[in-house]
Amino acid sequence: MNRALRGKGSLVLSVALVGVGVLVQGLRAQTLEKPMLEALEDSVEGNVIPVLPSEPVLSPQAAPTSARTGPFRVGNRTPHPVRLVILMRSGERMINPETAHWDFAPGEGGSEGLLLSLGEEPLQIGPGDIVVAFALDGTRRYWGPNVVGESLAPFWDGESGSWSMILQP
């Protein structure tokens, strides 16, 4: 009996792995067929929407997104109060990471976002910092974790020279 159950478990695991493989291949094919913005919107499932400029604003000499450090703007377009938490571990903070958090009322910051600060100075985030947000009203809604410079959010806004993240319902 134990042997029969082990065999069924292996079959279920095999079917699950094949299903995941087919799903990944389908997403790759779908992404290659769609324009980049459409694929980006599909992949974030309405949670975080990058507000991209209509035309590229980066010069050819501009540093890649993964090498930028700058201020951070956050907007909460959800009907939920949320807490945004950052683990800052980029640059000099790699040895001694710091954490910070901010609370946002529903709709606070809108689609433009608010510039976050620590004390009197604007918060500076960079590649490798980790950002997560979660609802404070018990709905168990969360956004992230996102790794700056590696995840879709936050995104670099070349026009304002800052990182931005707009939370969506």
Side-chain angles (χ1 to χ4, degrees):
M1 174 121 173
N2 194 13
R3 186 178 209 178
L5 288 175
R6 197 177 312 151
K8 288 182 181 177
S10 297
L11 178 62
V12 170
L13 180 59
S14 299
V15 170
L17 289 174
V18 168
V20 168
V22 169
L23 178 65
V24 167
Q25 289 297 332
L27 288 174
R28 281 186 189 154
Q30 184 181 15
T31 301
L32 293 175
E33 293 171 3
K34 290 184 173 186
M36 186 60 174
L37 185 56
E38 283 182 41
L40 188 62
E41 288 172 346
D42 288 349
S43 67
V44 296
E45 298 178 15
N47 288 341
V48 177
I49 295 183
V51 182
L52 301 173
S54 57
E55 295 184 20
V57 289
L58 301 176
S59 67
Q61 300 94 1
T65 302
S66 61
R68 294 195 172 111
T69 298
F72 187 31
R73 292 187 165 278
V74 176
N76 177 17
R77 294 184 61 191
T78 75
H80 311 285
V82 298
R83 174 165 288 168
L84 181 94
V85 181
I86 300 177
L87 173 63
M88 296 170 283
R89 59 184 191 134
S90 61
E92 298 170 2
R93 300 181 194 128
M94 187 61 121
I95 296 170
N96 205 7
E98 300 174 44
T99 60
H101 72 272
W102 294 262
D103 292 340
F104 290 83
E108 188 174 8
S111 58
E112 300 259 333
L114 299 174
L115 191 60
L116 300 184
S117 64
L118 287 173
E120 298 295 318
E121 298 296 315
L123 171 70
Q124 298 287 311
I125 64 171
D129 290 344
I130 299 172
V131 181
V132 65
F134 55 90
L136 296 171
D137 59 4
T139 57
R140 297 184 180 180
R141 184 80 184 181
Y142 66 93
W143 297 261
N146 296 295
V147 180
V148 176
E150 296 177 26
S151 303
L152 294 176
F155 65 95
W156 179 255
D157 181 355
E159 198 172 286
S160 68
S162 64
W163 291 96
S164 295
M165 187 165 144
I166 308 299
L167 303 174
Q168 298 288 338

